[in-house]
Amino acid sequence: MKVEFKGSYPSIQTLPQADLPEFAFIGRSNVGKSSLINMLCNHKDLAKTSSKPGKTQHIVRFGVDNLWFLIDLPGYGYAKVSKESRKKFGEMIQDYLLERESLFCVFVLIDSRLEPQKIDLEFLEWLGECNIPFCIAFTKTDKLKPVELERNVENYKTELLKTWEFLPDIFITSAEKKLGKEDVLGFIQEVLKRSKANG
Ligand code: GTP
Ligand code: MG
């Protein structure tokens, strides 16, 4: 897998034309988006990570095998950035998700250690209302014991089934332990193959 940094853009208007499929990674600030991208790409610091929330502030594109793009997005819901910049990020993310024709699927990252959070559930709801295809990736699963992880994932599914008729694809990941790589990349390959078959 050949991955190249292709650029960092402050708005959808500044993004290059949509020519290849894009798969975007999104979630609350500090959930582990950039770390997961690095893990998928076998790269230590392709996407910049930080223990401080709010690291990624632009739409960042990585080209994979000259066939598709991985998109790193800023996190949502970080209370400590100014209201102004929270609004700016929100709009940037929303514009990208609503207007990007080449967006194939969004991976919504959820911290596996937490109870279902209102902000994530509302975000998933919004994606559904807008007909934006998504799946869920639980992050930081290395920080839990297997039984705790299972309990939290089941708990999450139960919560989702209160509003959703079907469950989305769900991936269990750990950037630390390099867990979930084959599943996520396999899913992306499958989506690409399907879209090709459908012309
Ligand atoms: P923003 O760009 O600020 O929105 O954050 P992000 O979602 O890109 O998170 P990032 O990848 O920068 O990771 C945040 C922190 O969580 C860092 O300190 C990472 O080392 C840590 N982290 C990320 N993934 C994992 C994981 O799978 N396991 C563990 N133990 N730590 C992780
Ligand atoms: Mg980041």
Side-chain angles (χ1 to χ4, degrees), residues 27-36 38 47-57 72-76 109 113 139-143 173-178:
R28 289 199 312 152
S29 229
N30 213 42
V31 70
K33 299 174 292 294
S34 302
S35 302
L36 183 64
N38 288 336
K48 298 284 167 269
T49 65
S50 168
S51 55
K52 282 210 305 264
K55 181 67 183 170
T56 308
Q57 309 210 341
D72 192 10
L73 292 170
Y76 53 75
L109 274 56
R113 298 170 298 177
T139 62
K140 309 192 185 185
T141 61
D142 56 282
K143 292 202 172 187
T173 74
S174 160
E176 185 76 27
K177 290 267 157 69
K178 303 201 186 309

Side-chain angles (χ1 to χ4, degrees), residues 142-159:
D142 56 282
K143 292 202 172 187
L144 288 174
K145 295 197 185 96
V147 282
E148 293 171 331
L149 175 63
E150 192 172 337
R151 192 190 57 214
N152 286 3
V153 170
E154 281 313 311
N155 194 11
Y156 217 96
K157 287 182 182 167
T158 307
E159 189 62 42

Side-chain angles (χ1 to χ4, degrees), residues 7 28 38 45 57 65-66 76 90 106 118 134 141 144 146-147 151 154 162 190 194-195 199:
R28 289 199 312 152
N38 288 336
D45 51 10
Q57 309 210 341
D65 296 330
N66 294 319
Y76 53 75
V106 185
K118 192 161 170 248
F134 71 88
T141 61
L144 288 174
V147 282
R151 192 190 57 214
E154 281 313 311
K162 287 183 189 165
E190 199 50 45
R194 241 186 288 150
S195 87

Side-chain angles (χ1 to χ4, degrees), residues 158-178:
T158 307
E159 189 62 42
L160 288 174
L161 287 171
K162 287 183 189 165
T163 42
W164 293 84
E165 206 170 330
F166 303 104
L167 287 173
D169 282 284
I170 291 177
F171 301 94
I172 305 292
T173 74
S174 160
E176 185 76 27
K177 290 267 157 69
K178 303 201 186 309

